[in-house]
Amino acid sequence: HKFLYEFLEALKMQGVDTALDTSGFGKREIYEKIYPYVDTFLYDIKFMDEKLHQEDTGVSNKIILDNLRFVADKIRKQKDTRLWIRTPLIPGATAVKENIEEIGWFIQKELADVIERWELCAFNNVCKEKYVKIGQDWEYGHCRLMEEKEVRELAAAAEKYAKGNVVV
């Protein structure tokens, strides 16, 4: 995180617009330190259900959501940073209507005044061959690409909560 801080600071000093793509899983102090140097946060929300998040990612989402609330509060006060939520649509995992609705409810309840967009990122399996080459199993290697109809249905569910801000 020291490199990240110094890198973002140097970019901002040169007038470069910066973005941080993050899972949100990190120490609060890191987010406090880098916040002034980030113009756009690309923040992943995979699951709202803590148990599902733990099972799928190996970590609780408590720190992730707490850091997201911190970023949102800073944006409310300073209005100097953009917030984009990103949800990867993984068939059989995150690409479930109930999951999208739970995330949408959270966005509507806690982020509606600060979110600029909510991206639903359709699953792709481009990295599948990389896992084969390094001899590792990939738990999503069996997943098929989603059909456009499936993605549109999930986008419609999301749109109920983040009206006009959903991007597929």
Side-chain angles (χ1 to χ4, degrees):
H1 61 86
K2 185 176 188 269
F3 168 78
L4 177 63
Y5 168 76
E6 291 173 358
F7 183 64
L8 289 170
E9 181 183 40
L11 289 173
K12 288 299 289 182
M13 290 177 68
Q14 294 178 31
V16 175
D17 194 57
T18 62
L20 179 67
D21 188 351
T22 181
S23 71
F25 190 74
K27 293 180 181 177
R28 168 68 52 81
E29 300 80 42
I30 296 169
Y31 288 91
E32 289 171 354
K33 191 169 183 174
I34 65 172
Y35 181 88
Y37 306 105
V38 177
D39 294 304
T40 305
F41 280 90
L42 309 172
Y43 208 104
D44 285 4
I45 300 181
K46 295 172 182 74
F47 296 96
M48 291 308 303
D49 182 284
E50 185 176 9
K51 183 179 177 194
L52 287 175
H53 197 280
Q54 178 77 42
E55 289 171 4
D56 197 72
T57 67
V59 298
S60 165
N61 62 357
K62 185 176 177 351
I63 291 171
I64 294 164
L65 296 175
D66 286 347
N67 284 331
L68 178 54
R69 288 180 181 105
F70 165 77
V71 168
D73 286 343
K74 294 288 277 186
I75 292 170
R76 281 184 193 98
K77 291 174 187 158
Q78 299 177 5
K79 301 185 186 324
D80 58 350
T81 304
R82 292 175 297 279
L83 176 60
W84 298 2
I85 300 300
R86 301 185 64 184
T87 301
L89 298 178
I90 302 169
T94 61
V96 176
K97 184 179 178 188
E98 292 78 17
N99 184 54
I100 297 302
E101 288 177 339
E102 288 175 7
I103 295 169
W105 182 83
F106 174 80
I107 289 171
Q108 186 179 61
K109 180 181 168 229
E110 298 203 31
L111 305 173
D113 60 329
V114 295
I115 184 176
E116 186 173 292
R117 66 194 280 169
W118 180 14
E119 292 183 356
L120 300 179
C121 306
F123 173 79
N124 73 63
N125 56 8
V126 174
C127 66
K128 185 177 180 178
E129 292 303 314
K130 192 180 343 178
Y131 281 88
V132 170
K133 285 181 183 177
I134 62 173
Q136 287 189 352
D137 288 331
W138 181 39
E139 75 178 286
Y140 298 112
H142 68 284
C143 289
R144 61 174 175 71
L145 297 178
M146 294 179 68
E147 294 180 18
E148 184 177 346
K149 179 184 176 203
E150 295 171 293
V151 175
R152 296 259 175 251
E153 287 171 359
L154 292 171
E159 191 66 33
K160 288 188 264 181
Y161 298 93
K163 293 175 176 48
N165 292 329
V166 177
V167 177
V168 179

